[in-house]
Amino acid sequence: MGNGTSKYNELNKNEHLNRLVSKEIISAEDPFWNTLLSFNDKPPWTKEEWQLLEENSEELVKRFLISNTKTRNFASLIKVLLLRHSELETSVHTENTLFLWQTTNGLFIVRVVAKFMSEKIKEEEMIKQFNDDESSPSLFSSLVSCLVNSLVEIPVRSYTYGLLLEMTLLLITLLSPAILKPGKSAHQMTAWKQLMQGESSVMATPLTCTLLLRFIDQTPAPAELYGQDGGSLVLGFLNILTLGYSGTGKPDPPEGVTKPLADTSLSLLMILVNHLTDSTSCNNPFRTALVNLSSDSNRLEQNTSFVIEFPPLYKTLANTLQNDEPTLLLYLLLLKSERFRNYVLAATDIDLLFLPILQTLYR
């Protein structure tokens, strides 16, 4: 691959990518994967870059989906990532940046292919592309489970930031068929069933708490995530639902500081809590966990899901209400969470919340 925007123009000539999409069967144990996952290019950060990537990778992905029905190389890639999951904790503890970088690259490749599939083929066919005939449970379900567990377990550090961001974006992508193909109910789709009723449902409360805390923390991305030229990733609610990126028309954050992990964490949380809200079809444990949060660890009521500090949440909401997702979060908490609503009503600086909303309405 190459450097700069022109790097995407060479994708069709890339030796390793062409081998991946060929008719050659590549097992999960093949050293090829370490070579494939060792590319240095940064992911696209703008809508223009993403469109250029898609234009130059479309034929490769189409060839891959055709050959994969025979080779199951995509399943081999998923197996490689699942094997790496068992070593992530140690790699984070020892700051094994090479291992984390290669894992992030592998997740990015999966996201590019999954995004294409979620837009072009039926969800049932998409699941078949992930799986082989040998694995039980399915590789797709195992991947979803690993993503959820890793998002909860891996702390935010400068060397884990890109990995956590890629995991969050990939999970959003795997959930996207419910948004891109509204004809089928979300509770009938594999990823949603896994999260709402399957093995990963027990992680609903920890994941909800983790995503909310990452939004509250507003941790800036490390400079090396963008490369030498810098960049900004501004993910609006509409953009994240359509798996798009911001264009150059939107202003960059102050002084070029971006907080994509906070933005995508909140976007994922809003997607999870605002789907399957009709309890007659399926209970939504993420929504239940969010509305039952508390700030008093000394007086836990019976239905308390988790405890966080309300003042930092209040402050972060006040500072970000110019965006869609924080406004939606505030609306949901005021409507459904009695504890947070009472805290807001008792606040002496309530103007910090409502002035930004009024300014948005006025504009």
Side-chain angles (χ1 to χ4, degrees):
M1 301 174 82
N3 294 315
T5 305
S6 61
K7 61 191 176 185
Y8 302 125
N9 295 329
E10 304 296 322
L11 287 179
N12 284 317
K13 301 177 183 178
N14 185 280
E15 174 188 353
H16 307 301
L17 291 177
N18 275 288
R19 183 181 174 190
L20 174 66
V21 305
S22 72
K23 298 179 180 180
E24 177 186 353
I25 297 175
I26 308 173
S27 70
E29 294 77 25
D30 197 299
F32 161 80
W33 299 108
N34 285 332
T35 305
L36 176 69
L37 303 183
S38 296
F39 59 87
N40 288 307
D41 295 312
K42 305 296 180 182
W45 291 115
T46 66
K47 184 177 181 180
E48 288 75 16
E49 284 187 344
W50 186 265
Q51 288 176 339
L52 188 61
L53 170 64
E54 288 188 319
E55 289 171 2
N56 286 277
S57 63
E58 183 174 355
E59 289 304 315
L60 281 171
V61 176
K62 287 180 178 178
R63 286 171 53 197
F64 190 33
L65 296 188
I66 294 172
S67 65
N68 185 60
T69 58
K70 302 290 186 180
T71 65
R72 294 300 175 191
N73 287 342
F74 196 45
S76 294
L77 174 57
I78 302 302
K79 289 178 181 179
V80 169
L81 294 174
L82 293 177
L83 288 170
R84 283 174 166 264
H85 175 259
S86 62
E87 303 176 44
L88 274 179
E89 183 178 355
T90 301
S91 297
V92 170
H93 180 71
T94 59
E95 300 186 23
N96 186 344
T97 54
L98 174 62
F99 185 90
L100 300 177
W101 160 58
Q102 289 178 330
T103 305
T104 303
N105 285 345
L107 293 169
F108 174 69
I109 293 174
V110 173
R111 178 161 65 94
V112 171
V113 177
K115 180 181 184 295
F116 180 89
M117 291 192 291
S118 66
E119 295 174 345
K120 304 295 185 181
I121 64 178
K122 294 181 180 179
E123 192 248 358
E124 296 86 352
E125 297 302 317
M126 175 178 171
I127 302 302
K128 290 180 182 178
Q129 290 283 347
F130 274 84
N131 297 324
D132 57 17
D133 299 326
E134 302 172 357
S135 303
S136 180
S138 73
L139 293 175
F140 182 89
S141 297
S142 296
L143 177 63
V144 171
S145 179
C146 284
L147 289 173
V148 170
N149 291 336
S150 296
L151 286 173
V152 172
E153 294 167 359
I154 297 175
V156 180
R157 302 285 187 269
S158 61
Y159 54 88
T160 63
Y161 198 102
L163 176 65
L164 290 169
L165 178 60
E166 194 57 58
M167 287 178 170
T168 307
L169 288 168
L170 176 54
L171 191 52
I172 291 174
T173 304
L174 298 181
L175 293 170
S176 66
I179 304 162
L180 300 175
K181 298 180 175 65
K184 186 175 181 180
S185 176
H187 77 272
Q188 298 176 314
M189 295 186 171
T190 305
W192 287 92
K193 287 192 290 186
Q194 171 77 2
L195 289 169
M196 300 296 172
Q197 299 172 303
E199 178 184 346
S200 297
S201 63
V202 298
M203 298 295 291
T205 296
L207 182 58
T208 301
C209 180
T210 297
L211 295 175
L212 187 59
L213 287 173
R214 286 184 182 151
F215 165 66
I216 294 171
D217 291 342
Q218 293 287 297
T219 305
E224 59 267 23
L225 189 65
Y226 301 106
Q228 295 179 346
D229 297 331
S232 67
L233 175 63
V234 186
L235 295 175
F237 194 51
L238 180 60
N239 281 329
I240 200 70
L241 289 183
T242 57
L243 307 181
Y245 290 85
S246 69
T248 55
K250 298 186 81 173
D252 287 344
E255 300 179 1
V257 176
T258 57
K259 301 161 185 175
L261 185 57
D263 296 338
T264 54
S265 294
L266 181 58
S267 294
L268 175 57
L269 180 59
M270 291 296 93
I271 290 171
L272 288 170
V273 302
N274 286 294
H275 273 73
L276 298 177
T277 57
D278 181 6
S279 59
T280 58
S281 59
C282 177
N283 178 54
N284 187 327
F286 296 92
R287 190 178 182 90
T288 301
L290 180 63
V291 301
N292 287 319
L293 81 174
S294 175
S295 66
D296 191 348
S297 59
N298 297 319
R299 187 171 61 86
L300 295 179
E301 299 179 27
Q302 186 174 3
N303 65 340
T304 296
S305 54
F306 60 89
V307 176
I308 65 167
E309 295 292 333
F310 280 170
L313 173 58
Y314 184 93
K315 180 180 179 181
T316 300
L317 284 169
N319 291 334
T320 56
L321 285 175
Q322 69 274 17
N323 299 319
D324 295 334
E325 299 96 320
T327 305
L328 181 58
L329 174 61
L330 175 62
Y331 171 78
L332 182 60
L333 290 175
L334 291 176
L335 184 66
K336 296 293 185 178
S337 174
E338 181 180 359
R339 299 181 190 115
F340 186 75
R341 181 169 63 247
N342 290 339
Y343 175 83
V344 171
L345 292 175
T348 58
D349 55 354
I350 198 170
D351 57 299
L352 293 178
L353 287 183
F354 291 103
L355 283 179
I357 296 176
L358 292 174
Q359 289 173 346
T360 299
L361 292 174
Y362 179 76
R363 286 197 297 267

